[in-house]
Amino acid sequence: MDGSSRSPERAERLTRRGPWVSGFVLLSACGAALLTRLALAGVCLAKRLAAVERWARTGHVVRRCAVVAIGVATAYLAATLPDVFPSLAIPGVLDGRSVSGLMRPAPFGLETLMLMALAVHLLHVTVTSARERREPARVEAAG
């Protein structure tokens, strides 16, 4: 193909629309990875935590937060699909694009709750272990 078969109109249309579409697709793919990576890790971790009696309750909290975060992230991605494919738009009240801005920070908040639950329980386990050994808990400075 020597390039002469390409029409100038097609080249102009691709130049005008191409970077925006490819940029949005890249942003959506990165957003999907960003919104779900810690939640998926939380689901995997929750299975292991549930097996240990001392961590079972925290494992259930982590699992609930992770599953809800994955659901909200999926809903957010589904709500932004009509921006790339306008034929997928649902007219009227069911159009999710109006609330997609509210759905974006929700997975981050749920992931923060997961990390806080793990941190609080780890602190509790550490203090309890130190009391059982009757030794003062030591804090080592990272340096």
Side-chain angles (χ1 to χ4, degrees):
M1 218 160 148
D2 60 357
S4 62
S5 62
R6 294 185 187 177
S7 68
E9 296 86 21
R10 182 175 184 268
E12 180 182 336
R13 188 175 63 240
L14 288 175
T15 305
R16 190 179 28 178
R17 188 165 185 219
W20 182 84
V21 171
S22 64
F24 188 80
V25 169
L26 179 64
L27 180 65
S28 295
C30 290
L34 183 69
L35 292 174
T36 59
R37 69 173 189 250
L38 189 58
L40 290 172
V43 170
C44 294
L45 177 65
K47 289 180 183 179
R48 291 183 180 215
L49 291 177
V52 179
E53 184 179 336
R54 197 171 193 180
W55 286 84
R57 187 170 149 204
T58 303
H60 292 299
V61 171
V62 168
R63 184 176 180 86
R64 280 189 211 124
C65 288
V67 168
V68 172
I70 291 170
V72 173
T74 304
Y76 168 71
L77 292 173
T80 57
L81 266 177
D83 292 336
V84 177
F85 304 107
S87 62
L88 296 176
I90 301 172
V93 179
L94 298 176
D95 187 11
R97 289 179 287 180
S98 60
V99 294
S100 66
L102 297 173
M103 288 189 282
R104 187 182 312 154
F108 293 120
L110 290 163
E111 290 170 355
T112 302
L113 284 175
M114 286 181 352
L115 292 174
M116 287 174 57
L118 289 167
V120 167
H121 189 71
L122 183 61
L123 179 66
H124 175 72
V125 167
T126 303
V127 170
T128 304
S129 296
R131 285 183 182 161
E132 288 173 357
R133 290 184 304 198
R134 302 206 185 278
E135 294 178 13
R138 294 184 311 175
V139 178
E140 297 179 15

